Amino acid sequence: MSELESLNLQSVSFTGLTPGAHLIVLGAVHGNETCGTQAIRRVIGEIESGQLNIVAGRVSFVPVTNPLAYARHQRMGDRNLNRNLVPTESPAEFEDRIANWLCPLLEQHDALLDLHSFHTAGEPFVMLGPEDNRGTLEPFARAAEETALALSLGVHRFVDGWLDTYAAGVARRLAAGASSREANVHYGVGTTEYMRAQGGIALTLECGQHDDPAAPEVAWRAIHNALAHLRLTVAPAPAAGADTEALRLYQVIDRAHADDAFARDWASFDRVRAGERIGTRHDGTPVGADSDGYIVFPNPNALPGQEWFYLARRSTRV
């Protein structure tokens, strides 16, 4: 039996006896991010044992969204599942086959909680979608509902501006003559962007560093809070988080050469000052911040032509 023949795609659903919201919870969209998988399996066990009851609506769990990456203990199988997520009639990569199964499943729900982790140290945070708008990039009309769900999850930091910033990076790559698929704005579409395009609300919760023993607990608490907030369980609705911090991504910097190097080990949400050196290009050109703010998603392992790090500023969104 080949590696692919040994894999399968699994979802587990529970439906209450009265109408309600339809929530879907994903784990291991990236195969080395397992806190969501652990939390989902724990919650499924609680429901099956009667410790937790789904009294209304429907909740679906996908413990391992990318089984190939998960089996290999790495971020991706053939490619990043959380990019260019769309059904296709001609699947070429393993993630295309997942998309053909996952996208119709997402469409059956009206809220998504996608559980992730990150490779550097740092506190958990939620990725929000755009504010309400009628633009062409990511039109949206449910920002208030999405933000209310985000505030219930039990973390205090919130980040938005993903697709706008990604699109600006794409425009810069195209102007520079890039031909890679990262130079296509649709490559920035992942689970949450696809869900919003179908009319739903969607959040990515980054639960902490990959190996942080607290990350599965963050994910577990968030699932319980989301179920209570959406009234799928009888638990009291969680209070909105206090002492919140909102940041907005505004710039993405790509790695241009394999010898581009960071000036030091950066973690997401480290503060940077205007003019501060963040890294150095292979030819000695400094790469710095253009204003006071924060570095987000620093990736010392980025390949040339891929996102190296993002910059963010304070926002009044939350």
Side-chain angles (χ1 to χ4, degrees):
M1 180 181 294
S2 70
E3 181 182 32
L4 294 185
E5 288 173 335
S6 69
L7 302 174
N8 57 73
L9 300 167
Q10 178 195 48
S11 65
V12 179
S13 295
F14 301 91
T15 303
L17 297 180
T18 59
H22 288 192
L23 170 68
I24 183 168
V25 185
L26 305 182
V29 165
H30 296 132
N32 61 337
E33 301 178 17
T34 63
C35 60
T37 302
Q38 296 173 59
I40 287 170
R41 288 175 173 161
R42 180 179 171 186
V43 173
I44 289 173
E46 291 171 338
I47 297 172
E48 291 179 336
S49 69
Q51 298 176 65
L52 179 67
N53 294 311
I54 303 302
V55 299
R58 175 188 177 195
V59 59
S60 297
F61 298 103
V62 182
V64 177
T65 311
N66 190 334
L68 179 60
Y70 185 81
R72 293 177 176 176
H73 309 288
Q74 61 189 33
R75 180 175 174 84
M76 303 179 291
D78 293 331
R79 67 168 174 86
N80 190 342
L81 177 61
N82 217 20
R83 297 287 189 276
N84 195 33
L85 185 71
V86 64
T88 176
E89 294 182 357
S90 304
E93 296 166 309
F94 184 75
E95 283 74 8
D96 295 336
R97 301 181 187 279
I98 299 175
N100 283 348
W101 170 80
L102 179 61
C103 290
L105 183 61
L106 292 174
E107 292 166 16
Q108 297 171 23
H109 299 78
D110 46 43
L112 163 66
L113 177 60
D114 191 359
L115 300 167
H116 287 253
S117 59
F118 43 90
H119 68 272
T120 57
E123 294 182 26
F125 63 96
V126 177
M127 290 292 297
L128 287 166
E131 297 184 87
D132 289 348
N133 71 95
R134 297 183 179 181
T136 58
L137 180 63
E138 193 176 13
F140 196 46
R142 300 181 66 185
E145 294 172 72
E146 189 174 275
T147 301
L149 177 59
L151 287 167
S152 79
L153 297 183
V155 301
H156 81 279
R157 179 174 283 148
F158 305 86
V159 181
D160 71 355
W162 158 256
L163 198 55
D164 285 346
T165 305
Y166 188 89
V170 165
R172 188 180 65 250
R173 292 170 195 142
L174 289 173
S179 59
S180 67
R181 57 185 171 187
E182 287 85 354
N184 183 333
V185 69
H186 297 293
Y187 195 65
V189 172
T191 59
T192 53
E193 291 77 24
Y194 186 85
M195 188 72 175
R196 293 187 198 104
Q198 311 311 309
I201 60 175
L203 298 169
T204 295
L205 174 60
E206 298 279 357
C207 300
Q209 196 272 339
H210 296 328
D211 299 321
D212 186 344
E217 190 74 17
V218 171
W220 175 84
R221 182 179 67 240
I223 296 171
H224 272 259
N225 286 1
L227 292 170
H229 176 82
L230 295 170
R231 303 293 193 268
L232 274 62
T233 64
V234 296
D243 189 29
T244 58
E245 178 185 60
L247 302 176
R248 178 160 294 166
L249 302 175
Y250 73 91
Q251 188 176 14
V252 56
I253 306 298
D254 295 337
R255 195 173 197 177
H257 190 279
D259 291 332
D260 291 351
F262 283 127
R264 66 176 180 85
D265 291 334
W266 294 99
S268 278
F269 307 108
D270 281 345
R271 289 179 178 269
V272 292
R273 300 298 181 188
E276 181 177 357
R277 184 187 291 248
I278 295 173
T280 305
R281 298 293 188 190
H282 71 288
D283 62 1
T285 303
V287 180
D290 59 356
S291 66
D292 292 351
Y294 303 81
I295 187 170
V296 185
F297 306 133
N299 183 5
N301 299 316
L303 297 176
Q306 294 183 347
E307 306 129 89
W308 197 20
F309 63 91
Y310 284 77
L311 292 172
R313 301 188 184 105
R314 289 271 190 176
S315 165
T316 58
R317 171 75 180 273
V318 176

